[in-house]
Amino acid sequence: MEIDGIISAIVIGVVIGVLGRLVVPGRQRIGVLWTILVGIVAAFIGSWIASALDVADTDGVDWVEWLIQIGLAAVGVAALDRSRPRSGRRGRA
């Protein structure tokens, strides 16, 4: 992968991460960097899955590939959010 491919993967990962975060209802307690990392990983894995399903290279916009990537990012955001310890007040004794 060349440098322009890496830069485009990061940009696409940012977009995918933000869209994945928007799909998950409620407020997520993960930071921007985690959102970007989840998006980048989801973009790479989603591209691989789309290639395996032979839907990666279509005429026009690759909507199926984008939906796969956004779905993976939403799952990743939700999983990270659930793994974070909840802060705030605990129940009174």
Side-chain angles (χ1 to χ4, degrees):
M1 182 175 275
E2 295 178 14
I3 190 71
D4 60 340
I6 293 171
I7 291 172
S8 64
I10 291 170
V11 170
I12 291 171
V14 169
V15 172
I16 294 294
V18 169
L19 290 173
R21 191 171 178 151
L22 289 174
V23 170
V24 177
R27 184 175 188 274
Q28 296 84 37
R29 295 172 309 278
I30 64 171
V32 174
L33 290 178
W34 280 113
T35 302
I36 292 170
L37 288 174
V38 166
I40 292 169
V41 171
F44 279 118
I45 294 173
S47 292
W48 180 79
I49 291 172
S51 292
L53 296 174
D54 200 29
V55 294
D57 294 320
T58 59
D59 293 334
V61 179
D62 297 326
W63 293 109
V64 175
E65 182 176 7
W66 274 80
L67 290 174
I68 292 169
Q69 292 170 336
I70 293 168
L72 289 172
V75 168
V77 166
L80 266 178
D81 184 48
R82 294 219 185 261
S83 70
R84 307 286 293 187
R86 298 209 182 257
S87 61
R89 302 173 73 186
R90 294 186 179 210
R92 294 183 183 175

